[in-house]
Amino acid sequence: MELDVSLDKNSFAIHIDDPFRLDADAIAHEIEEFMTSKEDSASGLDIKGLLPRMVKGIAGCEKGCPADAKGLVSRGHDDFEIAYIEGGILSARAVTGKGNVLYLKMFPEF
């Protein structure tokens, strides 16, 4: 799985080797460090709680999408706007305290 992280015009990608053994703490920390380096903060955003839900939403899509993506989109997650994109892709968008847009986009591996 691949997770693209963008904060306004800055972005980077994180490869998730085994989505079923997701280290949400480490990935959330990496995203928070990225945001800090861009003089912003993830304060108030539950990135750590969102990541496993996104994985669950698309893991196993090769057997028919969306695995649980529709449920995640309908239930949402805190301040994130969740969207399902064709091809088993999930996106989450939130506005930071400084008014910047944090965009997470998770891609399944087929």
Side-chain angles (χ1 to χ4, degrees):
M1 243 177 218
E2 193 78 22
L3 176 64
D4 283 343
V5 179
S6 66
L7 183 64
D8 284 337
K9 296 179 182 181
N10 303 292
S11 65
F12 76 104
I14 299 171
H15 182 75
I16 301 170
D17 292 321
D18 186 352
F20 300 104
R21 295 176 191 226
L22 179 72
D23 188 348
D25 286 325
I27 294 172
H29 181 71
E30 193 172 343
I31 293 169
E32 290 165 4
E33 284 185 340
F34 166 72
M35 293 178 73
T36 299
S37 75
K38 303 302 176 199
E39 298 181 3
D40 207 334
S41 159
S43 179
L45 299 177
D46 182 20
I47 296 170
K48 178 183 168 187
L50 173 65
L51 294 171
R53 294 187 68 201
M54 288 181 80
V55 167
K56 183 180 179 194
I58 61 175
C61 274
E62 55 278 354
K63 295 180 181 163
C65 278
D68 187 38
K70 287 182 183 174
L72 177 57
V73 170
S74 67
R75 287 185 304 273
H77 185 82
D78 291 338
D79 293 329
F80 286 93
E81 295 174 19
I82 313 292
Y84 174 76
I85 303 169
E86 198 65 34
I89 301 165
L90 270 175
S91 69
R93 178 189 180 279
V95 178
T96 69
K98 291 200 171 192
N100 295 315
V101 176
L102 174 65
Y103 194 59
L104 306 175
K105 201 175 203 182
M106 191 171 285
F107 299 85
E109 287 185 0
F110 291 107

